[in-house]
Amino acid sequence: MVEVRRAQTYAGFCGGVKRAWNRAVKASQATDGPVLLSGKMIHNTPAMRELASMGVREATAADLEGETTGQTYVMRAHGEGPAAFEAARARGFNVIDATCPIVTAVQKIAVQLEEDGFQVVLFGHRDHPEARATVAYTKRGLIIESTEDARALPYYPKLASIAQTTVLQADYVDVVAALRERADVFEDRGRVCGWTLHAQDEALALAREVDAMVVVGGRDSSNTIQLVRVCETACPTFHIESPDELQAGWFAASSVVGVVAGASTREVDIQRVIAFVSALPSPVAA
Ligand code: SF4
């Protein structure tokens, strides 16, 4: 049989996702009507399907146009900009803020830096809801995605950097080095979340001691994509969103397989992956 080793500490729901999940589930138990989400609450399709089975789903344009008074509207873990909160409250929704507190802290830092006269630059993904929401709390904040973007910035008297909480720390360090050259006064206030950092470290350590890795997590999940990048530096790595995607042939030459998971992956999916891989014959026995 193939030996499976899983990340012991940082695999599956992080604190922010657990908190958002619990708030949405509790809201669904307290109402007969649907619980609406401001967007994809977490970037994980199986988890979103489970929420849907409890009456928790993404709000549609029709939901926002119809009668809204008293309906529950949950702001996702990635956060929403101030305009989204104002619009939801103005329409009479019962708004539940499920923004991860770490993301909220970054939003506050961005506001404070701008008040202190800094041009705020966030390193992240322009189309990621967390990056967009954080910058929406500033008047002039910018999102950059690479060191090339950093080098292309104009020169500022005061420049400060922050980071999307799930970027790869090594990438952020490179971007900061480039940003330092773009201002008289530079401040680095970036904060990759501790779960993300530890998960990346744990995944790399595991990837170095196995023959292949499975990373379970959403295809559009930023922290999962970083785990894939980290593991790929050490061994063949397979990124799946659902255990149904697993193929026995991937592990034909593997005696030991590692399993890690993104911050929005359910434990049930991790367990299914472990069960599938550990039931495979090892190459020696096959
Ligand atoms: S990965 Fe970190 S910042 Fe993002 S929701 Fe989880 S705990 Fe919060």
Side-chain angles (χ1 to χ4, degrees):
M1 306 285 247
V2 171
E3 179 188 340
V4 177
R5 296 181 195 166
R6 69 168 283 178
Q8 290 299 325
T9 314
Y10 299 97
F13 281 12
C14 62
V17 168
K18 259 186 218 155
R19 181 174 173 275
W21 179 276
N22 290 340
R23 287 189 173 199
V25 170
K26 200 169 158 198
S28 77
Q29 290 163 347
T31 176
D32 291 335
V35 170
L36 303 176
L37 301 172
S38 64
K40 201 169 175 184
M41 190 173 79
I42 47 179
H43 284 156
N44 185 282
T45 303
M48 287 299 291
R49 264 195 231 114
E50 186 175 341
L51 283 176
S53 73
M54 294 183 255
V56 181
R57 61 169 172 79
E58 262 185 82
T60 63
D63 289 323
L64 301 177
E65 283 160 12
E67 176 59 47
T68 59
T69 304
Q71 267 191 316
T72 302
Y73 191 78
V74 180
M75 297 300 185
R76 57 185 161 185
H78 302 105
E80 293 288 352
F85 277 90
E86 280 161 27
R89 289 191 177 116
R91 291 195 61 79
F93 282 117
N94 167 32
V95 175
I96 295 178
D97 185 4
T99 310
C100 173
I102 294 170
V103 174
T104 304
V106 176
Q107 293 166 352
K108 288 182 178 161
I109 288 168
V111 170
Q112 186 60 55
L113 286 167
E114 198 169 72
E115 283 176 10
D116 293 344
F118 286 91
Q119 168 64 50
V120 174
V121 174
L122 181 147
F123 172 58
H125 305 287
R126 287 192 185 92
D127 58 353
H128 193 281
E130 181 197 316
R132 294 214 310 258
T134 298
V135 163
Y137 284 86
T138 68
K139 295 186 182 72
R140 300 176 304 279
L142 301 170
I143 300 172
I144 61 169
E145 296 189 327
S146 64
T147 50
E148 289 72 29
D149 286 351
R151 290 191 197 105
L153 287 174
Y155 200 85
Y156 294 99
K158 292 176 82 177
L159 180 64
S161 67
I162 55 175
Q164 189 179 314
T165 54
T166 48
V167 294
L168 196 65
Q169 177 70 13
D171 289 345
Y172 179 63
V173 168
D174 289 345
V175 165
V176 165
L179 287 174
R180 279 188 198 287
E181 307 298 316
R182 306 307 309 151
D184 291 328
V185 179
F186 174 72
E187 193 154 333
D188 168 15
R189 298 291 304 279
R191 190 177 175 197
V192 176
C193 121
W195 189 99
T196 302
L197 273 181
H198 296 313
Q200 290 168 3
D201 290 346
E202 193 176 22
L204 180 59
L206 187 56
R208 284 178 173 152
E209 62 183 45
V210 299
D211 302 314
M213 287 292 291
V214 180
V215 180
V216 200
R219 299 207 188 289
D220 52 356
S221 157
S222 173
N223 72 83
T224 304
I225 291 165
Q226 306 308 346
L227 291 177
V228 173
R229 287 180 63 201
V230 161
C231 293
E232 279 174 343
T233 65
C235 68
T237 299
F238 302 95
H239 177 189
I240 58 166
E241 187 166 68
S242 156
D244 299 330
E245 298 164 35
L246 286 166
Q247 295 179 31
W250 293 345
F251 311 104
S254 302
S255 300
V256 187
V257 172
V259 177
V260 294
S264 47
T265 304
R266 301 176 306 168
E267 180 63 24
V268 64
D269 293 319
I270 299 171
Q271 289 301 330
R272 281 183 61 203
V273 171
I274 291 171
F276 178 97
V277 179
S278 59
L280 296 171
S282 70
V284 177

